[in-house]
Amino acid sequence: MIKPLASRIALVTGASRGIGYATGRALARAGAHVIAVARTQGGLEELDDAIRADGGSATLVPLDMTDLDGIARLGAALNERHGKLDILIGNAGVAGTSSPLGHTDPKFWDNMFAVNTTANFQLIRCMEPLLQKSDAGRAVFITSGIASKATAYMGPYAASKAALDALVRVWANETATTPIRVNLFSPGPIRTRMRATVMPGEDPMILDTPEQAAEFIVPMCAPLWTETGKFFDYPSKTLKSFRTPVV
């Protein structure tokens, strides 16, 4: 069986559950060695067991994504051990509870941006040199439709994801003339714990699973993928371009 990602090194954040877990496992099945990053040791060990059962391999990295120095140390360790990074999946994120902006605690706001935006900024800083050493570096960041819909009572989440979108698009433009390809993936409603927290009255069985979404992320990580600065809208199964605002 031909594995399209054989011998490639893939870093996945938020890998202990949900889309991160499913993507890590799917990348390993495709042949990649997965560097699985998450706060939850137990979830990482479950992923490792699943990957090994599939015949793949992984390295587990318990790390809080707000630890910016820890992300830098991870980059140095990857450089020493592998000398490159082929795939970066920026998946770790938090949604929190819904509330009006006027009732939002500043600490809650700061934590939302620390995880959803600043951690990914640090990933870009620390992992770009390793992606440059790959023959076909690929980066995919998980965004949300809420970033553009400006959904009421989801202000911190919407703002932090909108900032992530801008950050990733800038990086895509900066690396457009290099072998690195940078894109966003918008999963829409998916059967995850985060979704259940935000929409507690929703029947999860009507939603697609993280495993179904992950099958569309894997091709975006392959050397054959050439698009950059785009976002894949999973609900419509369509790769889309960002539009210039009307002036």
Side-chain angles (χ1 to χ4, degrees), residues 95-194:
T97 56
S98 303
S99 71
L101 283 171
H103 297 170
T104 300
D105 188 287
K107 291 183 179 179
F108 177 82
W109 174 275
D110 289 345
N111 182 67
M112 190 74 64
F113 272 83
V115 177
N116 293 349
T117 310
T118 305
N120 287 303
F121 159 69
Q122 181 71 338
L123 278 173
I124 291 171
R125 289 186 65 248
C126 298
M127 302 305 162
E128 181 179 4
L130 293 172
L131 288 166
Q132 289 175 342
K133 294 181 179 181
S134 170
D135 60 337
R138 300 290 179 262
V140 180
F141 293 84
I142 309 304
T143 184
S144 170
I146 289 176
S148 58
K149 294 176 183 176
T151 303
Y153 310 114
M154 292 293 292
Y157 185 66
S160 64
K161 285 295 187 179
L164 173 65
D165 288 1
L167 186 72
V168 171
R169 293 173 65 194
V170 167
W171 191 32
N173 286 333
E174 291 177 351
T175 56
T177 59
T178 77
I180 300 174
R181 307 287 87 181
V182 180
N183 293 282
L184 290 149
F185 183 91
S186 181
I190 295 291
R191 196 186 309 166
T192 63
R193 188 182 304 178
M194 179 185 292

Side-chain angles (χ1 to χ4, degrees), residues 203-222:
D203 179 6
M205 301 312 293
I206 67 174
L207 305 178
D208 281 2
T209 66
E211 289 73 21
Q212 289 172 294
E215 291 304 317
F216 287 82
I217 296 175
V218 172
M220 300 174 71
C221 303

